[in-house]
Amino acid sequence: MKPLIDLSGKRGLVVGIANESSIAAGCAEAFSRCGARLAATYLNEKSKTYVEPVARALGVEWLAPCDVRQPGELEALFERLEREWGGLDFLLHSIAFAPREDLHGRVVDSSAEGFALAMDVSCHSFLRMAKLAEPLMTDGGTLLCVTFYGSERVVENYNLMGPVKAALESATRYVAAELGPKGIRAHAISPGPIATRAASGIERFDELLERAAATAPAGQLVDIEDVGALAAFLVSDAARRITGTIIPVDSGQHLMA
């Protein structure tokens, strides 16, 4: 009998590895351990230096640049996917960005330009990836993105990313409904706070970690391996009847008022 979580032969794209501590790296490791073939991206030549050794250690077959702000770069990535593999079974979207001046200020003070950029990179890029992945997922597939409970309640210093993540979660539900008839599923994974490079842009993030550890019912912080385990399950055939969910992996912190 095959293991319940068996990704052998599945082809997956991982977008968002920055270094070995990235949530995307934790997910890529889980995918790889379960037998998946992987491609991954890097933001630019500077970031490639950090991503390459991580990708090599995880057995990633090939790397490609992907800055969703650059016209044509995302499209070129999916054209390469079609050339290299002829199809795609799953993808992970694990990127987010907001200009520092907008992220560190009040939401009501955010600039139109900063708000639009944060929405474009952190939310609309997931919709763009879903559209580009659709014709490659001829036998169905899974689309994953990463959110945070600051989408549902006010989290001190999370600021602009709260409304942006709320939009991403709503987008996930619509993607699941629209692409469901083609066997394409969509989920947003909502980890508790994890000390990643991306999180370091949030002011007083160490205090957020301390509060999470103190208030979570399980009394422990989650790590990238926890997120990876959930991601591997969601892209496997074991989850073939599950779609459109926002799934917390946060030691139960989402339960607490």
Side-chain angles (χ1 to χ4, degrees), residues 193 204-216 219 221 253:
R204 296 159 63 186
F205 188 73
D206 55 339
E207 296 178 16
L208 183 59
L209 288 171
E210 291 174 3
R211 287 197 300 273
T215 59
L221 293 172
Q253 190 179 10

Side-chain angles (χ1 to χ4, degrees), residues 57-90:
L58 295 174
V60 171
E61 292 187 15
W62 51 271
L63 279 172
C66 182
D67 183 343
V68 297
R69 298 170 296 183
Q70 296 300 318
E73 202 155 287
L74 188 60
E75 289 75 12
L77 170 63
F78 279 82
E79 288 170 5
R80 182 172 178 184
L81 280 168
E82 186 171 18
R83 288 197 311 271
E84 296 275 352
W85 286 345
L88 185 67
D89 297 296
F90 66 88

Side-chain angles (χ1 to χ4, degrees), residues 4 9 34-35 53 65 162 166-167 173 189 195 204 206-207 213 226:
L4 190 60
C34 292
R173 289 186 282 266
I189 297 174
R204 296 159 63 186
D206 55 339
E207 296 178 16
D226 297 318

